[in-house]
């Protein structure tokens, strides 16, 4: 029964992701914005909503003990960037290889991807440093949280400002296929306008959120058999379910050779989840050093810094991102052994 729920939820997420990415490409094309803005801001924030809600709901919930709520919150906040920077990039690579081969080269828009990674590393390093700030130093924790919000605001401004020049250089968002809703309702003659695009966007996002919610429930039922702590559950299992929207959207785009959208969808979500969500964690949870937390922080920074290094070094090929998969494997070994 549980496996059936998981499969149905996964199918819903797949349909929602296809619907969402198709509408997002049309929205970006209509607004005449770059692929970087479409991927790093619109897609990243939109598909990050399911996993964003997990720590917020956990913090505000009264259905379990405070200790469990805090562990789930911290695990969900730190698990999302870990999953994106390691397993998500690895899975995207696996699907890219199946379509494009090991020797193919990724061609994301480099300035935008570099900006995403630099701002993420800055924000996540600040979040990591906050773990060592004593609980009694409330003013210092509040200052770090406020700084993280400011970091994301500056990042947004820089990304949007760069859009015009990127569009002029040929990096404008282009829709590869007709709008699904118009094609589906062809007999009724539904017009392809901004309203129709927004309706389909909302439908896709609703399917993603609904499917991710069902997937989380199914995974939680299976996890009861494993007998692991709430923190380990949140770090390992919840992000697997809630990060599926980013994985699937990026896999769809990477197979269509829309590398800027594929990478920007992941790295843009990393900036969002590595700045605003840790700000909540710093203010509302213990946010203290534990073995699982420290290992997750370290491997996330290592995986992200490695991607930035390889990007600056020159050509970026699928084989280079195998290292990110090994980082996730190392984390699994650290937590489960």
């Amino acid at each position: 029964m549980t496996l059936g729920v998981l499969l149905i939820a996964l199918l819903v997420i797949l349909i929602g992701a296809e619907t969402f990415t198709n509408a997002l490409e049309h929205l970006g094309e209509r607004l005449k914005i770059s692929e970087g803005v479409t991927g790093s801001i619109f897609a990243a924030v939109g598909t990050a909503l399911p996993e964003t809600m997990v720590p917020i709901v956990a913090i505000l919930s009264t259905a379990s003990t405070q200790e469990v709520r805090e562990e789930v919150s911290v695990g969900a906040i730190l698990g999302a960037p870990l999953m994106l920077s390691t397993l998500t990039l690895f899975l995207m690579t696996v699907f890219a290889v199946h379509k494009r081969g090991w020797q193919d080269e990724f061609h994301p828009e480099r300035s935008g991807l570099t900006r995403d990674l630099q701002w993420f590393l800055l924000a996540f390093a600040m979040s990591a440093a906050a773990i060592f700030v004593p609980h009694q130093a409330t003013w210092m924790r509040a200052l770090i949280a406020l700084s993280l919000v400011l970091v994301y605001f500056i990042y947004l401004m820089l990304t949007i400002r760069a859009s015009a020049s990127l569009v002029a250089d040929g990096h404008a968002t282009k829709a590869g296929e007709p709008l699904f809703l118009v094609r589906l309702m062809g007999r009724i003659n539904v017009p392809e306008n901004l309203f129709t695009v927004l309706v389909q966007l909302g439908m896709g996002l609703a399917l993603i959120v609904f499917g991710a919610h069902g997937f989380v429930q199914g995974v939680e039922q299976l996890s009861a058999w494993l007998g692991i702590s709430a923190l380990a559950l949140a770090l390992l299992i919840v992000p697997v379910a809630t990060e599926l929207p980013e994985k699937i959207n990026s896999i769809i785009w990477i197979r269509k050779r829309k590398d800027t959208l594929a990478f920007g969808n992941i790295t843009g979500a990393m900036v969002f989840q590595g700045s605003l969500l840790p700000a909540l964690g710093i203010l509302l949870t213990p946010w203290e050093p534990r073995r699982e937390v420290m290992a997750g922080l370290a491997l996330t920074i290592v995986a992200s810094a490695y991607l930035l290094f390889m990007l600056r070094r020159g050509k970026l090929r699928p084989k280079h991102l195998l290292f990110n998969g090994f980082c996730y494997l190392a984390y699994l070994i650290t937590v489960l052994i």
Side-chain angles (χ1 to χ4, degrees):
M1 181 65 182
T2 301
L3 289 177
V5 171
L6 289 173
L7 290 174
I8 292 172
L10 180 59
L11 179 61
V12 171
I13 292 174
L14 282 166
I15 295 171
E18 277 281 8
T19 305
F20 185 84
T21 54
N22 174 257
L24 203 60
E25 289 173 14
H26 280 269
L27 179 63
E29 186 176 60
R30 283 186 170 274
L31 296 180
K32 294 180 172 59
I33 56 177
S34 69
E35 288 185 328
V37 170
T38 302
S40 295
I41 298 179
F42 287 2
V45 175
T47 56
L49 289 178
E51 59 269 30
T52 301
M53 294 306 297
V54 172
I56 293 175
V57 170
I59 290 171
L60 300 177
S61 174
T62 57
S64 56
T65 66
Q66 181 178 351
E67 181 182 359
V68 170
R69 295 201 309 269
E70 289 173 346
E71 286 189 348
V72 170
S73 300
V74 173
I77 289 170
L78 295 179
L82 169 68
M83 190 73 61
L84 288 168
S85 62
T86 58
L87 184 60
T88 302
L89 286 170
F90 172 74
L91 288 177
M92 187 182 73
T93 297
V94 169
F95 281 90
V97 167
H98 183 261
K99 184 79 172 181
R100 300 166 54 167
W102 284 106
Q103 295 305 314
D104 194 35
E105 183 181 349
F106 293 130
H107 294 283
E109 196 280 303
R110 288 179 174 265
S111 65
L113 185 55
T114 300
R115 180 175 56 250
D116 285 1
L117 291 170
Q118 287 175 335
W119 283 95
F120 168 73
L121 286 168
L122 171 63
F124 210 65
M126 292 168 61
S127 304
I131 282 184
F132 300 100
V133 176
H135 294 177
Q136 297 78 7
T138 309
W139 65 271
M140 184 175 286
R141 287 197 162 211
L143 181 61
I144 295 175
L146 182 61
S147 300
L148 288 171
V149 174
L150 182 61
V151 162
Y152 189 70
F153 177 76
I154 296 172
Y155 160 77
L156 279 182
M157 294 301 100
L158 292 175
T159 303
I160 293 171
R161 183 184 297 176
S163 177
S165 61
L166 289 173
V167 169
D169 291 340
H171 291 285
T173 304
K174 295 180 181 179
E177 299 176 352
L179 194 67
F180 290 167
L181 195 57
V182 172
R183 190 166 59 181
L184 186 65
M185 308 292 286
R187 294 183 179 179
I188 310 178
N189 267 339
V190 174
E192 184 176 320
N193 52 32
L194 183 59
F195 176 75
T196 314
V197 172
L198 292 176
V199 168
Q200 180 175 314
L201 198 69
M203 290 170 59
L205 186 57
L207 286 170
I208 289 172
V209 173
F210 178 74
H213 179 70
F215 198 91
V216 169
Q217 289 183 327
V219 169
E220 286 178 339
Q221 292 173 18
L222 286 179
S223 69
W225 300 347
L226 302 178
I228 59 177
S229 70
L231 178 60
L233 166 67
L235 281 165
L236 292 176
I237 299 179
V238 173
V240 169
T242 56
E243 295 299 338
L244 276 175
E246 276 87 356
K247 291 184 185 70
I248 296 171
N249 286 343
S250 292
I251 286 168
I252 291 170
W253 275 323
I254 205 75
R255 288 172 63 84
K256 294 179 179 179
R257 294 186 177 273
K258 297 188 176 185
D259 297 350
T260 299
L261 289 171
F263 277 94
N265 187 30
I266 293 173
T267 57
M270 286 167 59
V271 183
F272 177 77
Q273 294 168 351
S275 55
L276 298 186
L277 291 188
L280 284 177
I282 292 167
L283 290 175
L284 302 177
T285 72
W287 205 254
E288 57 192 8
R290 290 178 55 172
R291 182 172 64 92
E292 302 97 323
V293 171
M294 297 306 298
L297 285 169
L299 286 168
T300 300
I301 291 173
V302 167
S304 304
Y306 166 79
L307 178 58
L308 179 60
F309 170 75
M310 294 306 299
L311 186 67
R312 286 179 166 177
R313 186 183 177 193
K315 293 182 179 179
L316 186 63
R317 301 184 187 277
K319 62 181 180 182
H320 296 146
L321 298 185
L322 292 177
F323 177 81
N324 297 74
F326 287 129
C327 285
Y328 186 73
L329 179 61
Y331 184 73
L332 283 178
I333 295 172
T334 302
V335 172
L336 298 178
I337 292 181

